[in-house]
Amino acid sequence: MLPTVLRSWRQRHPGVRVRLFEHRRSDEMAQAMSAGQADVAVGPLPDDWEGTARHIGTEEFLVVTSADDPVAASPRAPGVRLADLAEREWVHFTPDSGLADLLEQACVDAGFRPRVAVRTEQASSAIGYAAAGLGPTLVPANTIPPYFGGAFLRPEPPVRRQLTGYTRTSPDPVTASFLETLGAHAPLMPPHVGRRLRVGGRPPRRASPEPR
């Protein structure tokens, strides 16, 4: 999400330098913000936050699999019942990642605890392992790259979370401008993902060569 936002914002503020701090968990990020580490945090809004907050939108999570996974060709595609994946081994996340908690809770809500094939720290790595056939994973839609060769499906029940940009106090003009850009340009559902979901979530078939 941030590369698109930062590109737009830097075009308007070319002289402002940006430093990013990345946190694995939203509670760690909130603690860092409270301690004055940064001007803006981007993620779920902490409970009882007293500073300024700008709602960004709803982040949707998708199940990612290999292109030849049977669930990608099922009549339910581009949807998949999480309960139907109860016996599968999953591409999971390391325990210190907030994505591990989210995947775990989504599966528990569907009536099972996920079995683990492999654990990784990053959504981008999980996407690659899932596309290679190591098992399904659950990642934000905005982390799926263009021209992705695997399949992705909407989980049933849906898995979503609200994202905000938040600060400790009333933002200065530069910080306020960044919050506005976040709200206007954050690609929570990238166009390339939305288009494929409308046609089943699988990669397009390559055209057969014409006979000579």
Side-chain angles (χ1 to χ4, degrees):
M1 178 179 66
L2 280 179
T4 299
V5 172
L6 287 171
R7 180 183 61 190
S8 176
W9 190 73
R10 287 274 294 164
Q11 289 171 350
R12 298 167 59 187
H13 299 276
V16 179
R17 299 291 180 262
V18 177
R19 181 179 180 184
L20 298 176
F21 300 91
E22 297 179 343
H23 298 275
R24 293 188 177 94
R25 307 179 67 91
S26 58
D27 56 346
E28 292 176 358
M29 182 169 62
Q31 291 169 9
M33 275 297 293
S34 295
Q37 183 187 61
D39 298 302
V40 180
V42 181
L45 184 67
D47 294 336
D48 302 322
W49 187 259
E50 296 182 353
T52 300
R54 169 64 189 262
H55 179 65
I56 298 172
T58 302
E59 184 175 46
E60 183 173 358
F61 283 72
L62 301 177
V63 172
V64 174
T65 70
S66 62
D68 58 358
D69 193 296
V71 300
S74 74
R76 303 185 72 94
V80 59
R81 284 178 10 111
L82 284 179
D84 292 341
L85 303 175
E87 299 304 317
R88 301 285 297 274
E89 291 188 329
W90 286 73
V91 176
H92 210 321
F93 298 93
T94 52
D96 58 353
S97 167
L99 291 174
D101 296 341
L102 192 143
L103 191 157
E104 196 79 21
Q105 189 60 55
C107 293
V108 168
D109 291 345
F112 68 98
R113 300 197 75 89
R115 299 161 59 189
V116 178
V118 62
R119 289 185 183 270
T120 183
E121 292 185 352
Q122 301 292 335
S124 57
S125 299
I127 290 169
Y129 294 139
L134 282 149
T137 194
L138 186 69
V139 296
N142 55 57
T143 62
I144 298 174
Y147 313 112
F148 174 58
F152 45 83
L153 308 105
R154 281 192 164 105
E156 302 171 10
V159 181
R160 302 186 178 106
R161 67 179 175 183
Q162 300 298 314
L163 292 184
T164 59
Y166 60 93
T167 69
R168 291 182 303 282
T169 57
S170 297
D172 60 64
V174 174
T175 303
S177 174
F178 186 75
L179 289 173
E180 289 299 316
T181 304
L182 268 173
H185 296 286
L188 296 180
M189 176 58 72
H192 67 274
V193 175
R195 285 192 297 269
R196 277 181 50 179
L197 284 172
R198 289 193 290 272
V199 296
R202 286 181 289 173
R205 295 180 180 178
R206 293 181 179 178
S208 301
E210 295 183 2
R212 298 188 178 186

